[in-house]
Amino acid sequence: MKTNTKRKLTKSNNRVIAGVLGGIAEYLNWNANVLRVLFVLLTIASHGFGILLYLVLMTIMPSKPENAGFFEQMRRATQDGDSTHSQPKGRKEIHNVHEEDEPRHRD
């Protein structure tokens, strides 16, 4: 039986470093630990190419919306503009302020 649900390849909460292999394992319905062992073996066999591949996937693979990690937050901040560090627009109004002069000292 075929389902019409669209699955998206995203990083996982089941993470050791960045959740890349956990996300791929969830997408393929595999055990994440088996995929990690295969990845290590293939990285050793390819003289470290897997490390480069992992770094690329870590930067381009999106996180799930509910568990956005560091890189996803940085990507959103650069795309949307970080509103937490922006200056407030317009003028501030201060209400209910009582001002007093400094008392004069008489010698």
Side-chain angles (χ1 to χ4, degrees):
M1 185 188 308
K2 194 174 185 181
T3 59
N4 287 337
T5 59
K6 288 186 178 183
R7 294 186 308 168
K8 187 176 180 184
L9 181 61
T10 58
K11 294 179 190 172
S12 173
N13 281 336
N14 183 4
R15 61 179 63 195
V16 174
I17 298 175
V20 172
L21 295 175
I24 293 171
E26 286 177 3
Y27 185 79
L28 298 174
N29 291 324
W30 288 10
N31 185 338
N33 292 328
V34 171
L35 185 64
R36 289 180 182 119
V37 170
L38 287 173
F39 177 77
V40 169
L41 292 175
L42 289 172
T43 299
I44 293 169
S46 66
H47 303 288
F49 179 73
I51 296 170
L52 178 64
L53 178 65
Y54 191 90
L55 291 172
V56 168
L57 288 174
M58 185 172 62
T59 56
I60 64 172
M61 246 175 103
S63 295
K64 292 180 181 176
E66 66 270 6
N67 67 332
F70 174 75
F71 290 106
E72 184 66 23
Q73 290 174 3
M74 297 310 298
R75 185 179 310 139
R76 287 181 189 166
T78 57
Q79 288 175 352
D80 301 335
D82 193 3
S83 62
T84 58
H85 293 85
S86 63
Q87 295 293 328
K89 296 178 181 174
R91 296 180 68 173
K92 288 185 178 180
E93 292 184 30
I94 301 174
H95 301 282
N96 299 328
V97 176
H98 181 71
E99 185 176 329
E100 293 182 8
D101 291 334
E102 291 183 21
R104 294 184 181 182
H105 298 287
R106 293 186 185 191
D107 294 321

